[in-house]
Amino acid sequence: METIKKIEQLLEENNYKCNADGRKFIADCVGALAPRPLDPEKWLPILEYVEENFGFQEGDWSVYKTNRRLNVATGHDMYKLPEFDNPVLVVFSGMMTAHLCAFEAIRFYAKKYHKLLPILAIGKGGNKGLYEEVFNRPQGLMVEAEYQAYLNLLDQLAPASYVHANEQVCADTDTSGNFDELYKFAKAAEKPVTFVLCSGNFSYDKRLLAEFMLKAEEPQYSDVKMDFAIAHCPIITKLHVVDGRLSEIMLGYVAASIGPMMKDTITFDGKTSSEHPERFLMPRMEDVDWGILKELISEFSNMGWPNYSEILYGTDHKQAVLDIILADLRARGSFSSTSYDEELRQDLEDYIKFLGGRYQGKEGFLTYLMRTPDEHYF
């Protein structure tokens, strides 16, 4: 109670800011808090409900318009991707599960079509400031930026010529967002591109599409043809890394993925009450039982958006900010500046053992992939 009173006093002094700087201010004054114990019997059914309603899975599709043309975004099991025209597997989202999901997709694409699936790693930030001490280090696996962390990890699994083939698109650190990086890539490609989005996050699919499909309708992007597909990633709770097991960090990602879905929306036929719509109102969102998700969204969101619980649950602004600050401090207590690297290395070692050994360059990479086990890792 003393800690909460101190936090409330600091929030009052800092005008209840809970953006990256506001959360860092509190963390510098108070320090991290111990993460909460999480019962799998309680949380796994909730995560399954989230996947059912917010994942974009095998057979799902959605129509949107670009440059006076109807496009269809499609959902696919990451193990059952169809043979796309000019595909690029986009590895991003910040979750340190995306690289392993991507490699599984790459393996099975190679097995089925005898082709290498090109990859593009994107993402500049680091969970809105929560991971500042991790990314701002001179060396390590998870350093500098999200895309760099993914490249560093994929370097442990594949030849550099393959991993870094499209890295130049990320060299410009002034890009304004993930969509703009994809647009820049498609423009440089000078041909239609199918972006196969692989986030490593079972709950992120519909939010991605809700925002990307709306952006794609803007006139400034009409000079390129970009198609979107989702490589749906399953619920992952067996890894060492904190993102890949039941934790404050994992639940924070899920809360951030589903919380915005009713905020600043516009219907596919153009109806909105928002002055600045940010995403489409995706099918079935109005049928979701948001009560099931109240604790998840209100008490585990650690990325600084109080209006999710305000809109969905009528939560008082100051209470919503306090909830975010507490979640942020508990998330900070879930990792250290070096624990990410240690846990990621453990996961890589386990995965390489499952594959039957690291790629050594003695045979072609495609041949190596086709010789890896037929079993799914996830």
Side-chain angles (χ1 to χ4, degrees):
M1 288 300 296
E2 289 183 8
T3 301
I4 290 177
K5 287 180 180 178
K6 182 177 180 180
I7 291 171
E8 288 176 328
Q9 181 180 350
L10 290 167
L11 286 172
E12 196 74 46
E13 293 172 5
N14 204 36
N15 297 316
Y16 274 82
K17 290 180 183 176
C18 62
N19 59 7
D21 290 338
R23 286 178 284 129
K24 184 178 185 299
F25 167 73
I26 301 293
D28 288 344
C29 294
V30 176
L33 297 179
R36 292 163 279 196
L38 301 171
D39 181 2
E41 290 189 7
K42 170 185 175 178
W43 285 104
L44 286 179
I46 294 174
L47 299 185
E48 289 166 1
Y49 184 80
V50 168
E51 182 179 31
E52 177 186 348
N53 287 278
F54 298 89
F56 205 72
Q57 303 184 52
E58 185 75 27
D60 288 343
W61 55 275
S62 189
V63 176
Y64 62 105
K65 188 183 297 183
T66 58
N67 196 22
R68 300 178 183 176
R69 178 181 58 242
L70 290 179
N71 289 0
V72 181
T74 54
H76 308 276
D77 185 315
M78 71 181 191
Y79 286 106
K80 300 176 183 178
L81 296 177
E83 190 173 10
F84 296 105
D85 292 330
N86 300 321
V88 176
L89 186 69
V90 185
V91 189
F92 76 122
S93 83
M95 280 191 81
M96 291 299 124
T97 51
H99 59 291
L100 294 182
C101 290
F103 203 83
E104 285 290 273
I106 291 162
R107 282 204 309 128
F108 280 83
Y109 200 87
K111 286 175 177 290
K112 187 171 183 179
Y113 305 115
H114 299 180
K115 291 181 179 179
L116 289 179
L117 188 58
I119 58 172
L120 173 66
I122 63 174
K124 296 293 167 14
N127 197 357
K128 307 297 184 186
L130 182 61
Y131 296 149
E132 183 179 13
E133 64 175 297
V134 181
F135 283 112
N136 292 342
R137 295 182 294 148
Q139 58 185 6
L141 285 173
M142 191 170 164
V143 293
E144 296 182 23
E146 292 167 15
Y147 86 88
Q148 188 61 57
Y150 290 138
L151 294 177
N152 291 342
L153 292 161
L154 289 167
D155 274 337
Q156 313 298 310
L157 299 170
S161 58
Y162 170 71
V163 172
H164 296 270
N166 296 312
E167 183 181 4
Q168 69 274 6
V169 78
C170 289
D172 174 14
T173 57
D174 293 328
T175 50
S176 58
N178 290 323
F179 187 90
D180 290 299
E181 293 185 65
L182 299 186
Y183 168 74
K184 188 169 130 183
F185 179 92
K187 195 169 178 66
E190 297 183 335
K191 60 184 178 182
V193 178
T194 299
F195 290 115
V196 186
L197 307 174
C198 181
S199 68
N201 180 347
F202 65 94
S203 66
Y204 197 25
D205 300 346
K206 283 188 179 176
R207 179 182 170 187
L208 278 176
L209 290 178
E211 295 171 3
F212 278 15
M213 291 189 300
L214 184 61
K215 288 281 285 185
E217 290 196 350
E218 296 180 16
Q220 65 264 37
Y221 302 114
S222 64
D223 59 336
V224 300
K225 187 175 187 300
M226 296 182 284
D227 292 317
F228 295 108
I230 293 289
H232 176 71
C233 304
I235 298 171
I236 296 171
T237 59
K238 72 174 190 177
L239 299 181
H240 293 95
V241 73
V242 69
D243 309 40
R245 52 185 164 86
L246 198 55
S247 67
E248 298 274 350
I249 298 293
M250 181 219 246
L251 294 183
Y253 270 114
V254 177
S257 300
I258 67 177
M261 296 303 292
M262 300 297 285
K263 174 183 176 289
D264 289 321
T265 60
I266 184 170
T267 62
F268 284 93
D269 60 359
K271 297 175 183 176
T272 182
S273 59
S274 172
E275 293 182 7
H276 303 286
E278 296 179 4
R279 57 191 61 82
F280 279 121
L281 177 63
M282 295 296 282
R284 296 176 57 198
M285 286 300 101
E286 292 170 312
D287 298 327
V288 169
D289 186 344
W290 292 96
I292 292 174
L293 308 171
K294 183 174 182 179
E295 183 180 358
L296 173 63
I297 293 171
S298 298
E299 298 185 26
F300 286 86
S301 181
N302 52 43
M303 300 190 194
W305 295 99
N307 45 15
Y308 301 161
S309 60
E310 292 170 15
I311 291 169
L312 291 168
Y313 307 113
T315 308
D316 173 76
H317 177 70
K318 290 184 178 181
Q319 181 62 50
V321 171
L322 176 61
D323 289 339
I324 284 171
I325 295 296
L326 291 172
D328 174 87
L329 295 176
R330 288 168 179 143
R332 291 173 191 267
S334 302
F335 69 93
S336 69
S337 59
T338 56
S339 66
Y340 258 101
D341 276 13
E342 294 165 0
E343 292 167 358
L344 286 168
R345 288 186 194 282
Q346 287 180 296
D347 287 334
L348 282 169
E349 289 172 8
D350 290 347
Y351 185 58
I352 290 168
K353 186 176 181 179
F354 166 79
L355 294 176
R358 188 188 304 269
Y359 176 67
Q360 301 287 350
K362 297 176 183 178
E363 57 188 347
F365 183 52
L366 180 59
T367 301
Y368 164 81
L369 291 173
M370 293 171 63
R371 290 164 58 109
T372 58
D374 290 334
E375 291 80 16
H376 297 177
Y377 193 64
F378 297 116

